[in-house]
């Protein structure tokens, strides 16, 4: 494989590589897809257009970077609008394909106009102290991110709650679904009582749930669309403190 | 419109002495240390400990003062200056991310997140949005976020954060190159771009996932293109700039209504000033007309409801200004938030000092522009913007005008940044041989005070640090009551529900349940429906009219607060009376979900 010798050739290689990565790397592996594929969205189309439109010495580096990003954003939007106009769904494949075509067209135009620039990669010299400062800075940013993105213990006095829910079973089954969500800040034991058509209630429990955990049951019914009442009590107190009622069955349920 | 270059570049000796990176690694280190401090301040706040506020201010000082000190100096190369500006801009954006690391918590962010989710789910633009119906008609922000989400394999939240980060990167770059071309001074460009961070909304509000956060940076790029178009003197060589302008202006137009109108108005104002100063020829009439045509086409084809959306806001603001002048309505209390919490006295002093310093800088900058650059139309207009910004500050006393003025500040401050920076550079150069380090330190401290003044004016003291949005107990994570209810509703009842709820709850139901949710006191008046003591025929008719199947009744007063309503309750919540909620526990209605203060009623049977 020949090494690209101009900036526009590099743009073409990178655009192709980004398309390939999008096709090959599963979308769940964001760690790889972000650095490998996002340049096609945020930099390459704009850079190709800037290079095509402006002669090499016309822009300062900062101006070239600014316009490249702005044009790339605009290209992403225009491509999206075009897809919408032609009733094509805005999914990855057509959107990427359109951006790649746009990038190739702009790069070709730039080449035709003689605006391609030879590649001259020069890393700025870094003194040891500067390298050390950069390393410490990166470590601090990583530390800030780890601390910032970690859920911490709740403040003193944070209020928890308990949830009781009751819905008709999905798909027209003659049954109800009842459930409990424990949003308390500690393990809690519950008892659930469900009565159908005001008859003797069915009891469930004790149900011990960790914070954030949930419990549910599907209860088959004999009667067609009866009145269903449910109540929730804590095992310690046995006092009902949450209640749910199903009177009208005209409600759609997706799942229990 | 060419501007003479008056500020000297750095001397060759100075350039030789400084390495390619200059102080950049150290500035980067200071910004990183600031981020660590900001993260620590948020952690203290999230866990209910004191001491977060001093740490927060330390974080901002670490980010601003070293950068300002370096940018005020003459030795830094252009590359270092622009990198410094970008590092600070991105660092300040990270402060907002560290405040909300688990999800969006600003009211408008939920509306835009819903639009993004809708594009990702359906692959179509222009979906419906029950909370901000106009937002899907301007899909630029969400299109970019959707593409980033698809290509990068990110969650909608991560894609939204990345999109705004790109916007933040762009505005720092765009301000720098605009100021550099206008002033001819890299030093003024760096100081000006840094000063723009003192816009009251910059740290938090303008960093939210909302259309202006992307449209404003694009609009600044459009201004830069305009100045380059005007500076291009070669015959027949203006077309690349015209093409560039068309591309960028189109992106502004499809992203945000107000930004596109401001751009059009700004360009026509430049034309008129050019006409007045230099005659009609040579003014950017073509660019102004082009942006106007694009805006009108978009308004006619895709966003016809914009006028109806914006006019009540502007009319109400104007009406209240007149009433306030006539002393018919009470003024708004400055330095106090909606809950009545008052800003600490030290912060009030800092805020007032910042405004005074800003005013002084503006006066000195204007004097300089008057002497040297006053015939450049864009420069004249930016200076006027600076004056208008100062002139609009008293309007912050008017309740209905406050928000409009606050948002206008983001645009007007583009002029303030440059004008004050010119003043600062002039003062630095005037006495360059007398205590240069002390002088630079003084100016860096002054810039910090102006920046702090903006932060204090822009966001209430008790809302700057992170609140408990997600906590962990014994290895399990817990989310706020309303978020849990919305997630349950979406999972169990599906998207085919329509919801009436309080402000904060409705936003959670819109994004976490993907259920169209209505809120507020106007078309429909959900507040009346939720607060009425009895179930009237009018309420049944309203439910029927909007096809509502679920009513979320939340007695926690915080649920109607768009700033604080998205977090876990700390301490017993303030409750509204129980009677209005109980009216839905009646014949024909279901009690589907009981979380104590928050209930979900199935109301299809009440129609």
């Amino acid at each position: 494989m020949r090494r690209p010798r101009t900036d526009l050739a590099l743009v073409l290689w990178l655009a192709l590589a980004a398309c390939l990565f999008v096709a090959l790397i599963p979308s769940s592996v964001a760690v790889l897809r972000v650095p490998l594929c996002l340049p096609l969205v945020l930099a390459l189309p704009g850079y190709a257009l800037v290079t095509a439109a402006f002669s090499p010495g016309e822009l300062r580096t900062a101006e070239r970077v600014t316009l490249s990003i702005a044009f790339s954003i605009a290209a992403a939007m225009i491509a999206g609008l075009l897809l919408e106009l032609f009733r094509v769904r805005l999914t990855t494949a057509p959107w990427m394909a359109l951006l790649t075509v746009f990038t190739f067209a702009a790069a070709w135009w730039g080449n035709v106009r003689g605006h391609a620039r030879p590649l001259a990669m020069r890393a700025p010299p870094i003194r040891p102290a500067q390298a050390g400062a950069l390393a410490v800075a990166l470590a601090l940013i990583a530390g800030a991110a780890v601390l910032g993105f970690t859920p911490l213990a709740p403040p003193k006095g944070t209020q928890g709650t308990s949830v009781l829910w009751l819905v008709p079973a999905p798909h027209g089954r003659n049954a109800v679904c009842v459930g409990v969500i424990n949003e308390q800040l500690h393990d809690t034991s519950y008892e659930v009582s469900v009565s159908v058509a005001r008859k003797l209630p069915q009891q469930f429990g004790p149900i011990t749930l960790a914070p954030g955990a949930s419990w549910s049951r599907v209860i088959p019914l004999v009667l067609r669309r009866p009145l269903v009442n449910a109540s929730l009590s804590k095992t310690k107190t046995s006092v009902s403190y949450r209640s749910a009622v199903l009177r009208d069955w005209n409600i759609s349920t997706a799942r229990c | 419109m060419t501007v003479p270059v008056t500020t000297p570049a750095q001397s060759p000796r100075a350039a030789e002495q400084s390495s390619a990176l200059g102080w950049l690694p150290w500035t980067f280190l200071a910004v990183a240390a600031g981020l660590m401090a900001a993260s620590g301040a948020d952690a203290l706040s999230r866990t209910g400990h004191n001491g977060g506020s001093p740490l927060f201010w330390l974080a901002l000082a670490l980010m601003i003062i070293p950068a300002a000190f370096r940018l005020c100096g003459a030795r830094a190369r252009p590359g270092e200056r622009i990198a410094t500006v970008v590092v600070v801009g991105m660092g300040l954006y990270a402060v907002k991310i560290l405040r909300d690391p688990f999800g969006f918590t600003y009211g408008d962010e939920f509306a835009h997140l819903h639009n993004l989710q809708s594009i990702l789910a359906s692959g179509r633009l222009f979906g419906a949005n029950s909370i901000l119906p106009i937002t899907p008609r301007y899909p630029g922000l969400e299109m970019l976020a959707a593409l980033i989400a698809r290509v990068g394999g990110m969650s909608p939240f991560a894609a939204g954060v990345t999109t705004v980060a790109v916007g933040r990167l762009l505005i720092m770059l765009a301000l720098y190159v605009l100021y550099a071309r206008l002033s001819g001074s890299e030093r003024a460009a760096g100081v000006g771009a840094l000063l723009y961070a003192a816009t009251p909304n910059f740290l938090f509000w303008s960093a939210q996932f909302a259309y202006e956060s992307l449209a404003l940076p694009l609009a600044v790029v459009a201004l830069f293109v305009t100045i380059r178009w005007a500076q291009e003197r070669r015959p027949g060589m203006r077309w690349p700039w015209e093409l560039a302008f068309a591309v960028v202006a189109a992106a502004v137009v499809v992203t945000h209504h107000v930004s596109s109108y401001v751009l059009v108005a700004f360009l026509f104002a430049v034309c008129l000033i050019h006409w007045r100063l230099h005659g009609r020829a040579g003014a950017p009439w073509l660019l102004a007309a082009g942006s106007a045509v694009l805006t009108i086409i978009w308004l006619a084809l895709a966003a016809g409801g914009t006028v109806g959306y914006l006019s009540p806001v502007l009319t109400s603001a104007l009406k209240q200004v007149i009433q306030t002048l006539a002393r018919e309505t009470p003024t708004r209390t400055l330095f106090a938030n909606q809950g009545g919490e008052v800003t600490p006295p030290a912060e009030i002093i800092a805020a007032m000092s910042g405004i005074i310093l800003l005013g002084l800088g503006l006066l000195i900058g204007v004097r300089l522009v008057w002497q040297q650059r006053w015939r450049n139309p864009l420069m004249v207009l930016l200076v006027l913007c600076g004056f208008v910004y100062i002139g609009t500050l008293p309007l912050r006393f008017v309740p209905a005008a406050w928000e409009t003025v606050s948002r206008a500040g983001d645009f007007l401050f583009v002029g303030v940044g440059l004008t004050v920076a010119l003043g600062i550079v002039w003062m630095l150069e005037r006495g360059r041989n007398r205590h240069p380090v002390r002088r630079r330190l003084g100016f860096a401290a002054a810039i910090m005070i102006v920046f702090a003044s903006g932060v204090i004016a822009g966001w209430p003291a008790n809302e700057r640090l992170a609140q408990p949005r997600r906590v962990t107990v014994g290895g399990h994570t817990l989310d706020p009551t309303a978020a849990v209810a919305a997630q349950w509703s979406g999972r169990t009842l599906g998207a085919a529900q329509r919801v009436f709820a309080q402000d904060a709850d409705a936003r959670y139901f819109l994004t976490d349940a993907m259920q169209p949710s209505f809120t507020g006191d106007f078309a429909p008046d959900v507040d009346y429906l939720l607060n009425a003591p009895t179930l009237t025929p009018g309420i049944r008719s309203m439910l029927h009219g909007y096809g509502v199947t679920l009513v979320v009744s939340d007695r926690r007063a915080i649920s109607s607060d768009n700033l604080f309503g998205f977090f876990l309750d700390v301490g017993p919540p303030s409750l509204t009376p129980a009677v209005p909620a109980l009216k839905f526990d009646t014949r024909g209605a279901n009690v589907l979900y009981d979380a104590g203060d928050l209930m979900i009623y199935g109301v299809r049977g009440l129609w």
Side-chain angles (χ1 to χ4, degrees), chain B residues 37-38 41 44 49-62 347 465:
Chain B
L44 286 172
H49 292 92
N50 293 325
S53 193
L55 211 50
F56 171 78
W57 286 113
L58 173 68
L60 297 184
L62 280 168
E347 290 196 3
L465 295 177

Side-chain angles (χ1 to χ4, degrees), chain A residues 27 33 63 84 87 89-90 130 144 147-148 150-152 157 159 161 164-166 185 211 243 245 247-248 254-255, chain B residues 22 39 46 101 122-123 125 150-151 153 181 228 472-473 476 491-492 569 571 585-586 589-592 594-595:
Chain A
S27 60
R33 280 180 67 134
E63 293 173 342
E84 175 73 19
R87 309 300 294 164
R89 292 185 72 231
L90 277 72
Q130 290 176 324
L147 180 61
T150 306
L152 301 174
Q159 305 290 301
T161 189
L164 173 71
W165 57 266
L166 176 71
L185 304 178
S243 63
V245 189
R247 303 183 182 99
D248 173 33
R255 51 173 275 206
Chain B
S39 192
R46 278 194 284 151
S122 68
L125 303 178
R150 290 215 189 279
V151 173
R181 282 288 172 181
R228 288 302 315 266
T472 181
V473 184
H476 307 280
R491 198 171 51 240
T492 308
D569 297 316
D585 189 1
T586 186
N590 297 319
V591 183
L592 299 172
D594 182 356

Side-chain angles (χ1 to χ4, degrees), chain B residues 410-434:
Chain B
D410 295 354
F411 299 95
L412 297 172
F413 219 93
V414 175
V416 177
L418 178 62
T419 315
V420 176
L422 287 171
I424 288 175
V425 171
W426 178 77
M427 284 189 280
L428 280 164
E429 287 180 353
R430 199 161 154 258
R432 72 176 75 170
N433 295 325
R434 280 181 299 169

Side-chain angles (χ1 to χ4, degrees), chain A residues 8-123:
Chain A
L8 286 178
L10 181 65
V11 163
L12 294 181
W13 278 111
L14 289 175
L16 273 179
C19 280
L20 205 64
F21 290 138
V22 167
L24 295 179
I25 302 172
S27 60
S28 54
V29 193
V31 172
L32 287 179
R33 280 180 67 134
V34 168
L36 296 175
C37 308
L38 276 193
L40 180 56
V41 176
L42 300 174
L44 300 183
Y47 185 86
L49 185 58
V50 168
T51 308
F54 300 101
S55 52
E58 204 169 350
L59 298 171
R60 296 173 188 166
T61 306
E63 293 173 342
R64 185 172 288 272
V65 172
T66 307
L67 287 179
S68 295
I69 297 171
F71 284 4
S72 296
I73 291 171
M77 291 177 189
I78 291 166
L81 288 173
L82 278 175
L83 292 175
E84 175 73 19
L85 190 67
F86 290 101
R87 309 300 294 164
V88 179
R89 292 185 72 231
L90 277 72
T91 52
T92 313
W95 219 338
M96 286 288 281
L98 207 52
L99 280 178
T100 309
V101 168
F102 176 84
T103 307
F104 270 63
W108 171 80
W109 186 32
N111 256 328
V112 168
R113 298 190 73 208
H115 288 180
R117 300 187 306 170
L119 280 179
M121 301 288 226
R122 273 186 302 125

Side-chain angles (χ1 to χ4, degrees), chain B residues 495-519:
Chain B
Q497 309 290 336
R498 291 167 72 82
V499 183
F500 273 0
Q502 294 283 17
D503 283 335
D505 296 349
R507 281 164 170 83
Y508 268 129
F509 274 74
L510 188 68
T511 56
D512 289 36
M514 287 294 282
Q515 294 165 342
S517 309
F518 299 88
T519 189

Side-chain angles (χ1 to χ4, degrees), chain A residues 22 27-31 33-34 37-38 41-42 49 52-55 58-60 62-63 65-67 69-78 80-81 83-84 87-92 95-96 99 109 113 124-127 129-131 133-134 136-138 140-141 143-145 147-159 161-168 181-187 210-212 241-256, chain B residues 17 19-22 25-26 28-29 32-33 35-36 39-40 43 46-48 82 97-98 101-102 119 121-126 139-141 143-144 146-148 150-154 162 166 169-170 173-174 177 180-181 186 214 218 221 224-225 228 232 234 239-241 243-244 247-248 251 254-255 298 468 470-473 476-479 481 484 488 491-494 496-497 550 568-573 585-596 599 602 604-605:
Chain A
V22 167
S27 60
S28 54
V29 193
V31 172
R33 280 180 67 134
V34 168
C37 308
L38 276 193
V41 176
L42 300 174
L49 185 58
F54 300 101
S55 52
E58 204 169 350
L59 298 171
R60 296 173 188 166
E63 293 173 342
V65 172
T66 307
L67 287 179
I69 297 171
F71 284 4
S72 296
I73 291 171
M77 291 177 189
I78 291 166
L81 288 173
L83 292 175
E84 175 73 19
R87 309 300 294 164
V88 179
R89 292 185 72 231
L90 277 72
T91 52
T92 313
W95 219 338
M96 286 288 281
L99 280 178
W109 186 32
R113 298 190 73 208
I126 302 179
R127 294 173 188 156
Q130 290 176 324
L134 288 174
V136 175
L138 289 174
L140 282 171
I141 289 171
L147 180 61
F149 286 87
T150 306
L152 301 174
K156 200 175 165 188
T158 299
Q159 305 290 301
T161 189
S162 311
V163 176
L164 173 71
W165 57 266
L166 176 71
V167 294
I181 304 170
N182 180 34
E183 287 290 308
Q184 299 286 354
L185 304 178
H186 43 76
D187 290 5
Y241 78 126
R242 298 278 187 270
S243 63
V245 189
L246 195 61
R247 303 183 182 99
D248 173 33
W249 283 70
N250 191 13
I251 183 162
S252 62
T253 310
R255 51 173 275 206
C256 282
Chain B
Q17 281 174 349
S19 78
L21 290 177
W26 307 105
F28 186 48
L29 179 61
L35 278 181
M36 192 66 222
S39 192
R46 278 194 284 151
T47 50
I82 195 160
I97 303 305
L98 289 170
F102 306 114
I119 293 173
S122 68
R124 293 262 170 258
L125 303 178
F126 310 116
L141 174 86
M143 266 197 282
L144 184 63
L147 185 57
I148 288 173
R150 290 215 189 279
V151 173
M154 293 180 186
T162 308
V166 174
L169 170 68
L170 188 61
L173 287 167
V177 294
R181 282 288 172 181
E186 302 284 343
L214 183 62
L218 288 167
V221 175
F224 162 71
V225 171
R228 288 302 315 266
E232 178 58 69
R234 292 172 293 172
W239 69 264
W241 293 108
L243 171 73
V247 169
V248 178
V254 303
T255 302
W298 191 254
R470 177 169 291 163
V471 297
T472 181
V473 184
H476 307 280
T477 55
L478 291 179
D479 284 321
T481 309
V484 173
W488 172 85
R491 198 171 51 240
T492 308
L493 303 174
Q497 309 290 336
L550 303 175
L568 283 126
D569 297 316
V570 180
D585 189 1
T586 186
R587 197 176 159 193
N590 297 319
V591 183
L592 299 172
Y593 184 98
D594 182 356
M599 313 277 287
R604 175 68 181 81

Side-chain angles (χ1 to χ4, degrees), chain B residues 83-267:
Chain B
T84 301
V85 164
V86 166
V87 163
V88 174
M90 300 310 285
L92 292 173
Y93 177 59
V95 171
K96 196 270 182 186
I97 303 305
L98 289 170
R99 181 189 177 272
D100 302 320
F102 306 114
F104 294 124
T105 64
Y106 290 8
D108 288 356
E109 290 185 318
F110 286 86
H112 289 283
L113 177 62
H114 171 75
N115 296 341
L116 171 58
Q117 291 170 328
S118 170
I119 293 173
L120 290 172
S122 68
R124 293 262 170 258
L125 303 178
F126 310 116
N129 190 309
S130 54
I131 287 184
L132 279 175
I134 199 64
T135 53
R137 316 312 294 177
Y138 291 89
L141 174 86
E142 290 89 346
M143 266 197 282
L144 184 63
L147 185 57
I148 288 173
R150 290 215 189 279
V151 173
M154 293 180 186
S155 69
F157 170 64
V161 167
T162 308
T163 305
V164 179
V166 174
R168 180 53 62 88
L169 170 68
L170 188 61
I171 196 166
M172 299 316 289
L173 287 167
L175 284 168
Y176 186 94
V177 294
L178 172 72
Y179 290 167
R181 282 288 172 181
L182 263 174
S183 67
S185 162
E186 302 284 343
R187 198 178 185 185
V191 173
L194 183 70
L195 269 168
Y196 185 81
T199 313
N201 287 328
F202 188 85
L203 189 62
F204 291 117
W205 197 87
S206 295
Q208 66 173 326
F209 180 57
Y211 35 28
E212 193 184 306
S213 306
L214 183 62
L216 180 59
L218 288 167
V220 178
V221 175
L223 290 187
F224 162 71
V225 171
T226 305
I227 192 80
R228 288 302 315 266
W229 174 91
Q231 288 173 345
E232 178 58 69
R233 300 292 182 197
R234 292 172 293 172
M237 289 311 292
R238 275 184 166 174
W239 69 264
W241 293 108
E242 284 156 7
L243 171 73
F245 183 86
V247 169
V248 178
V252 176
V253 166
V254 303
T255 302
H256 187 219
H257 36 72
V258 171
S259 298
S260 56
Y261 305 155
V262 169
L263 181 63
V264 172
F266 201 91
L267 288 173

